[in-house]
Amino acid sequence: MIKAYAALEPKGKLTEFEYDPGELGPQEVEIDVDYCGICHSDLSMINNEWGLSEYPLVAGHEVVGRVAQVGEHVTHLQAGQLVGLGWHADYCQACSHCNAGDHNLCLTAQGTIVGHHGGFADKVRANAKCVVPLPEGIDVKSAGPLFCGGITVFNPLVQFDIKPTDKVAVIGIGGLGHLALQFLNAWGCEVTAFTSSERKAEEAKSLGAHYTLNSRDAAAVEAAANCFDYLISTVNVKLDWNLYLSTLKPKGRLHFVGATLEPLDINVFGLIMQQRSISGSPVGSPGTIAKMLEFAAQHDIKPMVEMYKFDQVNEALAHLDSGKARYRIVLER
C-alpha cells in the first residue's frame, strides 16, 4: 500500500489516504519520495479550477527521491539511484512528437496528477521514460521545483534559440520568474526584471537581473520601447499586453509560461508592422529536463524554497494560496 495525502473533494483539506498500486509494470519505476515541491498547479488541481480533477486526488509533481524498484524491462535506472519526476508520468512513445523527442507535446501523455496519483505520498510510480536522474552537485532539497518551475522557464531558451547576446525581460518575479532570472543570466543575456514591488527590485538584481522596471509605471514601460529581443511572462493575471509588446524590438517575441486565463487583447498591427511574435510553451521533454538539470548544477541555479514536513501539507498549501511563499515550497520526509 502507498500512503499519501489526498483531496476527497474540490477545495477540500488533504487527508491521509492509502491505495494499492498493484503489480509494478514492466516499464515502470517506483520512487521512494524524499522531497516534493508544491506548485500552484497542485492547488489548481485540488480546487478543480481546470475541470480535470478526479477524486481522491493525490497532488505533487515535483518529486525527488530514490528508485525503490524497477520493472523488468527498465535497464537505464537502478534501485537506490537519486531521481526526479515532473508533470508527466507516461507518454504514448509512438506518436510523431514522442518519436521526435518532443515527449512533452504528446497529445495522450499521462499527467502525474491528472488521473494518476502524484508525489504527496511515501512512494510514486511512473513510466521510466519520465524519470530523470539527478546530476552530481545539484542541491537535492531544492531540486524538486526544477522539474516544473525550472523546466518551464528553461524550455523556451532551447525551443526558440535565445542567444547569449539577446536583451531579455521577465514579467513577474515569483515562483517562475525568480528562476527565469537565474537561467537567463547564466545563459549570458542582458536581463531586465519587470516588477511591481520596490522591495523585489533589489532581490531581482541579486537573482540575476541587470536592470529593473516598475511594471506599474506606464511611463517607464513606454520608455523601454523597442528594447528587448524576448519577453517571458510568468504571471497569471491580465496586463496591458500591447504596452509590453511595444517594448520588443522588430522580430521580438512575447512568450507566455504563466497560465493567464483571460483572453489576450492584442493590437495585431503591433505584431505585423514589426514582425513580432507571441507564443507559449509547457514543461519540457525528459531530454530537455536532463539538460536543464546539468545547466543548473554547473551554474549553481536553485530555487528559493521554504520547507515543510509532509504532515504539514495543508499548512503549506494555505501558505502558497496566501501569495506569501518566497518563492517555492517543498515538502520533506
Side-chain angles (χ1 to χ4, degrees):
M1 300 295 286
I2 290 180
K3 298 179 180 180
Y5 291 92
L8 304 181
E9 60 184 2
K11 300 183 179 180
K13 293 285 187 182
L14 272 59
T15 59
E16 293 183 3
F17 170 70
E18 288 189 1
Y19 69 94
D20 183 353
E23 185 177 349
L24 189 70
Q27 301 288 354
E28 280 191 311
V29 172
E30 184 172 88
I31 303 169
D32 284 330
V33 180
D34 293 324
Y35 305 98
C36 189
I38 300 182
C39 174
H40 204 278
S41 298
D42 293 308
L43 194 59
S44 295
M45 286 295 295
I46 290 168
N47 294 339
N48 197 24
E49 292 175 3
W50 302 334
L52 303 173
S53 305
E54 299 175 17
Y55 300 88
L57 189 146
V58 180
H61 60 278
E62 298 180 344
V63 175
V64 167
R66 295 190 180 273
V67 174
Q69 55 177 330
V70 300
E72 60 180 325
H73 294 165
V74 178
T75 58
H76 67 289
L77 297 170
Q78 57 188 347
Q81 191 169 4
L82 193 60
V83 296
L85 173 68
W87 181 254
H88 291 126
D90 201 359
Y91 309 106
C92 80
Q93 301 188 56
C95 68
S96 60
H97 303 297
C98 287
N99 289 336
D102 294 323
H103 297 80
N104 56 308
L105 302 181
C106 175
L107 297 179
T108 58
Q110 171 67 66
T112 299
I113 63 172
V114 183
H116 180 277
H117 291 321
F120 292 176
D122 61 349
K123 298 178 186 294
V124 66
R125 288 185 179 181
N127 187 285
K129 183 68 178 180
C130 305
V131 178
V132 182
L134 266 62
E136 291 282 342
I138 202 157
D139 182 67
V140 177
K141 291 183 69 171
S142 65
L146 293 175
F147 280 82
C148 183
I151 188 59
T152 295
V153 297
F154 181 87
N155 189 46
L157 304 185
V158 177
Q159 299 301 323
F160 299 106
D161 192 27
I162 304 303
K163 296 176 175 58
T165 52
D166 282 346
K167 294 184 177 181
V168 302
V170 179
I171 304 171
I173 311 307
L176 292 173
H178 90 287
L179 285 167
L181 293 178
Q182 295 180 68
F183 276 116
L184 289 163
N185 181 285
W187 204 255
C189 301
E190 180 185 287
V191 186
T192 296
F194 281 101
T195 177
S196 60
S197 168
E198 288 298 326
R199 177 181 55 79
K200 283 189 178 181
E202 288 305 312
E203 187 171 54
K205 289 183 179 179
S206 72
L207 289 165
H210 300 99
Y211 306 100
T212 62
L213 275 174
N214 187 337
S215 57
R216 293 184 178 179
D217 186 343
V221 179
E222 288 173 2
N226 299 299
C227 278
F228 304 116
D229 298 286
Y230 172 68
L231 287 175
I232 182 169
S233 173
T234 70
V235 300
N236 60 358
V237 295
K238 182 180 177 67
L239 298 176
D240 184 349
W241 300 116
N242 290 303
L243 179 60
Y244 282 96
L245 276 171
S246 72
T247 69
L248 287 172
K249 296 178 182 179
K251 294 189 177 182
R253 177 180 298 274
L254 169 58
H255 188 76
F256 288 90
V257 293
T260 303
L261 298 179
E262 295 187 49
L264 304 181
D265 182 12
I266 298 296
N267 181 344
V268 174
F269 280 101
L271 301 178
I272 293 174
M273 301 307 293
Q274 298 297 317
Q275 203 172 316
R276 295 169 175 141
S277 301
I278 297 175
S279 54
S281 64
V283 295
S285 67
T288 307
I289 292 173
K291 290 178 183 177
M292 179 269 302
L293 293 171
E294 290 284 355
F295 189 83
Q298 290 172 13
H299 295 276
D300 194 28
I301 294 170
K302 53 188 177 183
M304 294 174 63
V305 299
E306 298 179 59
M307 307 298 297
Y308 287 78
K309 295 294 185 181
F310 272 83
D311 61 6
Q312 297 175 300
V313 62
N314 285 304
E315 181 183 339
L317 285 166
H319 184 53
L320 175 64
D321 197 27
S322 74
K324 296 177 181 178
R326 293 290 181 271
Y327 283 103
R328 308 290 294 197
I329 295 173
V330 174
L331 302 176
E332 61 179 343
R333 187 61 53 203

